[in-house]
Amino acid sequence: MASITLGGNPIHTSGELPAIGTKIADFKLINTDLAVVSLSDFAGKKVVLNIFPSVDTGTCAASVRKFNENASKLENTKVLCISRDLPFAQKRFCAAEGLENVVNLSDFKNGEFGKTNGLEITDGPLAGLHSRVIIVIDENGIITHTEQVGEIADEPNYEAAIATL
């Protein structure tokens, strides 16, 4: 279990992030068109998993905007923005912001993605949502970078994630 903070107050996650050098487990999430999408749909591509509590918060929205800006410059790379938001909220946000370079995916049904990867928040006011995490995966499905943001209101280290690509 990882210990992170929300407004300086300790909260916890369901486990530890997958280890660098290992393969991340395949997953099934729902896209904004309500279709099931899995990691295997992006086989042969580098993948950035931008994971966060809710697109309706300032920091989460900023991370989607920042990765959208950077994604258009990355060769053979897809950025997947993952939260427990409903697909409708994700679609509304991206349409309102004009964001077209990221893929929004929802873990709203049962939170299995968050539980499997040890990033579900287990206590405090955000219990059940995902913590702020970046996971970078190479073309072979191997994890090359992870970051669990210590204070959930802080933005991730975008440069470190992009440098591993």
Side-chain angles (χ1 to χ4, degrees), residues 32-69:
T32 57
D33 293 325
L34 303 180
V36 175
V37 175
S38 68
L39 180 61
S40 58
D41 293 332
F42 303 96
K45 295 192 179 303
K46 297 174 189 174
V47 177
V48 177
L49 303 180
N50 176 32
I51 307 156
F52 49 85
S54 174
V55 75
D56 286 324
T57 66
T59 305
C60 300
S63 73
V64 175
R65 287 184 200 105
K66 184 74 171 178
F67 276 118
N68 182 74
E69 176 187 327

Side-chain angles (χ1 to χ4, degrees), residues 65-82:
R65 287 184 200 105
K66 184 74 171 178
F67 276 118
N68 182 74
E69 176 187 327
N70 288 318
S72 63
K73 303 171 193 166
L74 302 173
E75 244 180 80
N76 195 39
T77 303
K78 288 291 184 186
V79 177
L80 311 182
C81 295
I82 302 170

Side-chain angles (χ1 to χ4, degrees), residues 27 37 44 67 83 86 96 105 121 126 128 146 148:
F27 52 77
V37 175
F67 276 118
S83 69
L86 290 175
L105 298 173
I121 298 169
L126 300 182
T146 63
Q148 173 119 49

Side-chain angles (χ1 to χ4, degrees), residues 18 22-27 39 49 113 117 135 137 141-143:
T22 64
K23 282 196 172 214
I24 192 164
D26 199 7
F27 52 77
L39 180 61
L49 303 180
F113 173 82
N117 292 293
I135 300 174
I137 306 163
I142 304 297
I143 298 169

